[in-house]
Amino acid sequence: MKLTRRSEYALLALTYLGRAATEEWVPLGRIAEAQAIPLRYLEHIVAAMCRAGYLVSSKGQHGGYRLARKPSEITIAEVIRLFDGALAPVESVSKYFYQATPIERETKMLAVLGNIRDYVARTLEGTTLADIL
Amino acid sequence: MKLTRRSEYALLALTYLGRAATEEWVPLGRIAEAQAIPLRYLEHIVAAMCRAGYLVSSKGQHGGYRLARKPSEITIAEVIRLFDGALAPVESVSKYFYQATPIERETKMLAVLGNIRDYVARTLEGTTLADIL
DNA sequence: ACTACTCCGACTGAAACAGTAGGATAACAT
DNA sequence: ATGTTATCCTACTGTTTCAGTCGGAGTAGT
């Protein structure tokens, strides 16, 4: 599980929105500036999070974005899975992104990697946006 | 830490050599066939492991490769670091590959990621080639 | 109508990944 | 000496991913 900028920006945007007033529509420009994220890139990221149901948007003047769920109901795991796929170090031990890989034959190795994937999944599924605010 | 084929092939080659007789020089062709690895690709991988001191080679007929150290003295962590770099999910929490990244500002987030990196590093540094044979 | 937003698709440069290819070099066998 | 079998070294290649950028369309409030 290697985090890309995409995921980092997504998490930063979420934290910003999590700290904003619940009612407020926050325009992207403000997030981009505050968190030093390229605006036009952030658009794509935020669009994906809308489709995924983490955010809702309002168009037009004084529009913007806000969280669609409570911060305590958005786990870090799902955000990272959305942008970077599997949490596992190898797809052979991935639960949601399983794929065969050459190392499968080595069962001891697989056990070690599986153990790691379990730890990562457990901690990231157990951590919500509310925890990091 | 996303494992690439490089690392997988490297580990497979190591396990093959680990199971061979200690004195024996194993030619690459045999490893490639046994583990289903493209020979010309494996050459690069093995060369890197020679330079790193995990393997020694013998040229010419009846030449090949063998382990330079005992299996119990080669950790999985160092192999993966050699080919895929940091074990950490983000360079901000990497010990050997530190680099600044945007998410650094979020200390709670950083703590979670740091915790993951520590777990991964600990288990992979604690697992040697001998353990997976 | 104007302005300030979101929304949508296409495009781009650079790097990484996963190989392939050609040939040089070295040791051993006959 | 010569041929065989192996390592070694450098360069190249196609594909995909990453991290953006760009132009413009749609929409809601003033």
Side-chain angles (χ1 to χ4, degrees):
Chain A
M1 186 230 0
K2 173 84 185 61
L3 285 213
T4 60
R5 283 291 147 89
R6 268 199 313 276
S7 288
E8 292 194 48
Y9 290 158
L11 291 167
L12 286 173
L14 286 175
T15 60
Y16 190 90
L17 288 170
R19 284 177 187 129
T22 328
E23 296 290 282
E24 194 187 1
W25 292 108
V26 182
L28 269 196
R30 225 166 63 224
I31 306 180
E33 198 186 6
Q35 305 283 45
I37 305 172
L39 173 60
R40 302 304 294 265
Y41 194 34
L42 184 57
E43 282 182 7
H44 295 332
I45 293 166
V46 155
M49 289 198 285
C50 273
R51 283 192 296 273
Y54 308 151
L55 303 180
V56 283
S57 68
S58 159
K59 288 180 155 190
Q61 206 168 19
H62 300 120
Y65 298 88
R66 69 162 70 134
L67 296 180
R69 309 184 216 156
K70 282 185 292 179
S72 60
E73 284 164 2
I74 300 176
T75 71
I76 308 302
E78 55 187 332
V79 177
I80 292 178
R81 283 211 185 93
L82 177 63
F83 290 104
D84 289 338
L87 303 182
V90 168
E91 266 90 355
S92 327
V93 296
S94 175
K95 192 174 162 191
Y96 297 109
F97 298 85
Y98 173 80
Q99 252 190 298
T101 77
I103 214 164
E104 274 188 336
R105 356 173 70 219
E106 293 298 330
T107 41
K108 294 267 184 61
M109 193 67 229
L110 215 61
V112 175
L113 296 178
N115 172 30
I116 287 175
R117 112 89 215 179
D118 288 343
Y119 182 85
V120 173
R122 239 183 300 116
T123 70
L124 256 29
E125 279 162 6
T127 308
T128 70
L129 184 53
D131 295 322
I132 71 168
L133 290 180
Chain B
M1 186 229 0
K2 172 85 185 61
L3 285 212
T4 60
R5 282 291 146 89
R6 270 199 311 275
S7 287
E8 291 195 48
Y9 290 159
L11 291 167
L12 286 174
L14 286 175
T15 61
Y16 191 91
L17 288 170
R19 284 176 186 129
T22 328
E23 296 291 283
E24 194 187 2
W25 291 108
V26 182
L28 269 197
R30 222 162 71 219
I31 306 181
E33 198 185 5
Q35 305 282 45
I37 304 172
L39 174 60
R40 301 305 292 266
Y41 195 35
L42 185 56
E43 281 182 7
H44 294 332
I45 294 165
V46 156
M49 289 199 285
C50 273
R51 283 192 296 271
Y54 308 151
L55 304 179
V56 284
S57 68
S58 159
K59 286 181 152 190
Q61 207 167 18
H62 301 119
Y65 298 89
R66 67 161 70 134
L67 295 180
R69 310 185 215 156
K70 281 184 292 180
S72 61
E73 285 165 1
I74 300 177
T75 71
I76 308 302
E78 55 186 332
V79 177
I80 292 177
R81 284 211 184 92
L82 178 64
F83 290 104
D84 289 337
L87 303 182
V90 167
E91 266 91 354
S92 327
V93 296
S94 175
K95 192 173 161 191
Y96 296 110
F97 298 85
Y98 173 80
Q99 251 191 298
T101 77
I103 214 165
E104 274 187 337
R105 356 173 68 220
E106 292 298 329
T107 41
K108 292 266 184 61
M109 191 68 230
L110 215 63
V112 174
L113 296 177
N115 172 30
I116 288 175
R117 113 89 214 179
D118 287 344
Y119 183 85
V120 173
R122 240 183 299 115
T123 70
L124 256 30
E125 279 162 5
T127 308
T128 71
L129 184 54
D131 296 321
I132 71 168
L133 291 180

